[in-house]
Amino acid sequence: MRAIIQQFGPALKSVTLESYIPAPLSPSQIQVKMRYSTINPSDLITISGAYRSRISLPFIPGFEGVGIVHQCNNLDPSFSIGDRVLPIGSAGAWQQYRNIDEQWCFTVPSQLSDEQAATSYINPMTAWLMLSERLIIKKGMTLLINAANSAIGLMLIRMLNHLGVIPIAVVRRDNTQHQFEGCKLQRIININNKDARYSLTEIKDHLGIDAVLDCVGGIEALQLSELLTERGQFINYGLLSGQPIPAQFWLERPDIDFSYFHLRQWIHASEKAVIQHKLNEVMQLVYEGIAETKISARFSLKEIHSALTYVQINKGIKKGKVLLTF
C-alpha cells in the first residue's frame, strides 16, 4: 500500500491510496521496508503544488521516515538485509516498500528508538546545520529567535543552550512561558504586544543583537533587522508569514551578514560522508533529549485521511508530530 498524488491540491483531496508491486531494483538501489514516516508542513506544501517546477506527477509524498533494508541488488552493498536506515534526499516515504538509491540511505545508531529515528531528520538537521555550519557563535553573544515556541524554535533554543548561548525568544501571543520549560532564555517578547516595540528598542540600546534566526519573513524580518548590530548575522529559514522579506530590508541594512538556509540545498550539495557525520551528531542530540521531537498521534498508512484531518484540525496547536505506521 502507498499514498500517491495524481494532481496537486489540498492534501485531503489530493492524497489517494493504492496497492502496488514495487519495481525491480536497479544495481544502485536497495529496497527499504518503512516502519515510520512523518507528516510535515513541507509535505503538505509540496502536495499543494508549491514546488511543481521540480516535482513530476504522480509522486509519493513523505520526506522523513525510517525503515529496514528489505532487499539489496548491489554486488558490493554498503548495507545488509535487516539494517535500519534513514532514506532521505527526496519524497517517497509514504509507502510500505521504498526503492531508493543506496547513496541516499544513512545508518541509524542502535540506541535510538524507531520513533526517534523517524523524526531525527527535517527539524533536528535543519536546526543543527544552521548553528554548526552557518551561525558564527561568540562568547556572550545576544541572539534572537522568532516563532520561538514552534517545534524547531524550541529545538534551536535547547541546542543553543547546549552550545552556551542564552537567546531571546520572540513569540506572537502572551502566556507562553510554560512552553519553554527546561530552556534558558534572556527573556520572552510577544511581538504583537503593544509594549514589544519598547522592549526591542531597549534590547537594541543596551545589548545589541548579534544574530537573528528568522522563520517568519515579511515585515517581521524587517523589524528584527533594525535591532542587529553593525554587520550582525541574519539567517532566514522559513516564511511562516507567507510573505517574502521586503526589498527595504536590504536597502536599510546593506551591512547585514544575511543568508538563507534550506536543508534540501545543503543535503544535495554535500558528500555522503559529510551528511552521515552531521546525522551522527544530530542523532546523538536526539538521544540526549536536546533535539527530541514530541509525538502527538500515530496513524496507520491506511488511515492517512484521518491523519491528515487530525493535522488540519490541530494546525497551529503545538502538540507534536504525527507519525504514519506500516
Side-chain angles (χ1 to χ4, degrees), residues 231-256:
R231 298 185 181 87
Q233 195 170 5
F234 194 106
I235 303 175
N236 172 268
Y237 64 100
L239 296 174
L240 289 179
S241 66
Q243 300 297 320
I245 296 174
Q248 189 179 354
F249 180 102
W250 289 276
L251 292 174
E252 293 187 1
R253 294 301 307 269
D255 61 295
I256 285 177

Side-chain angles (χ1 to χ4, degrees), residues 6-302:
Q6 303 284 1
Q7 61 181 13
F8 295 116
L12 271 170
K13 294 183 178 180
S14 300
V15 174
T16 58
L17 286 174
E18 68 174 19
S19 299
Y20 72 108
I21 298 174
L25 295 177
S26 71
S28 64
Q29 287 185 320
I30 61 176
Q31 187 176 96
V32 178
K33 183 178 182 181
M34 300 302 295
R35 285 184 169 173
Y36 288 99
S37 296
T38 63
I39 298 178
N40 286 291
S42 56
D43 299 315
L44 306 184
I45 292 170
T46 303
I47 292 168
S48 75
Y51 307 122
R52 67 182 68 204
S53 61
R54 67 169 188 254
I55 300 287
S56 299
L57 293 172
F59 77 97
I60 312 301
F63 289 103
E64 184 179 49
V66 69
I68 59 170
V69 177
H70 184 254
Q71 187 179 346
C72 299
N73 192 23
N74 196 315
L75 295 176
D76 185 24
S78 301
F79 300 102
S80 301
I81 292 174
D83 286 350
R84 196 164 52 141
V85 294
L86 197 73
I88 66 171
S90 62
W94 293 5
Q95 56 185 324
Q96 287 179 284
Y97 294 92
R98 181 179 185 184
N99 293 356
I100 185 169
D101 199 297
E102 189 176 70
Q103 72 166 346
W104 289 110
C105 287
F106 295 85
T107 59
V108 178
S110 59
Q111 67 264 32
L112 286 191
S113 68
D114 284 344
E115 291 190 354
Q116 287 176 318
T119 56
S120 66
Y121 176 52
I122 291 181
N123 280 350
M125 192 71 161
T126 297
W128 185 242
L129 285 171
M130 278 197 296
L131 300 187
S132 63
E133 298 291 309
R134 292 287 177 87
L135 182 66
I136 300 171
I137 295 179
K138 301 174 183 177
K139 186 176 181 180
M141 73 184 298
T142 302
L143 181 145
L144 187 149
I145 302 174
N146 63 2
N149 56 337
S150 66
I152 193 169
L154 292 168
M155 198 172 288
L156 280 164
I157 292 168
R158 294 195 298 267
M159 288 180 176
L160 284 164
N161 291 168
H162 176 70
L163 295 170
V165 178
I166 301 176
I168 296 167
V170 171
V171 297
R172 304 185 71 83
R173 57 186 178 85
D174 290 329
N175 302 316
T176 59
Q177 292 88 340
H178 66 283
Q179 296 180 341
F180 297 100
E181 185 178 357
C183 296
K184 296 178 182 177
L185 294 169
Q186 289 193 34
R187 67 177 74 181
I188 302 170
I189 297 174
N190 175 4
I191 200 165
N192 289 330
N193 192 296
K194 63 181 180 180
D195 296 325
R197 189 74 183 179
Y198 172 79
S199 298
L200 292 171
T201 302
E202 182 185 28
I203 292 169
K204 177 184 178 181
D205 293 342
H206 290 87
L207 294 174
I209 303 296
D210 299 300
V212 170
L213 302 180
D214 165 54
C215 67
V216 175
I219 296 300
E220 187 168 315
L222 180 63
Q223 292 174 331
L224 298 182
S225 73
E226 298 170 358
L227 308 177
L228 279 172
T229 57
E230 187 175 0
R231 298 185 181 87
Q233 195 170 5
F234 194 106
I235 303 175
N236 172 268
Y237 64 100
L239 296 174
L240 289 179
S241 66
Q243 300 297 320
I245 296 174
Q248 189 179 354
F249 180 102
W250 289 276
L251 292 174
E252 293 187 1
R253 294 301 307 269
D255 61 295
I256 285 177
D257 177 7
F258 178 89
S259 62
Y260 287 110
F261 183 82
H262 298 291
L263 178 61
R264 181 180 182 275
Q265 292 179 0
W266 188 93
I267 291 293
H268 284 271
S270 301
E271 296 181 356
K272 181 170 183 176
V274 175
I275 298 172
Q276 183 70 69
H277 177 71
K278 281 297 175 183
L279 280 170
N280 291 344
E281 293 179 351
V282 165
M283 290 182 187
Q284 181 60 34
L285 294 171
V286 172
Y287 180 68
E288 293 173 5
I290 295 168
E292 69 176 343
T293 299
K294 292 182 179 179
I295 307 301
S296 65
R298 301 159 185 81
F299 295 86
S300 71
L301 182 62
K302 292 180 180 179

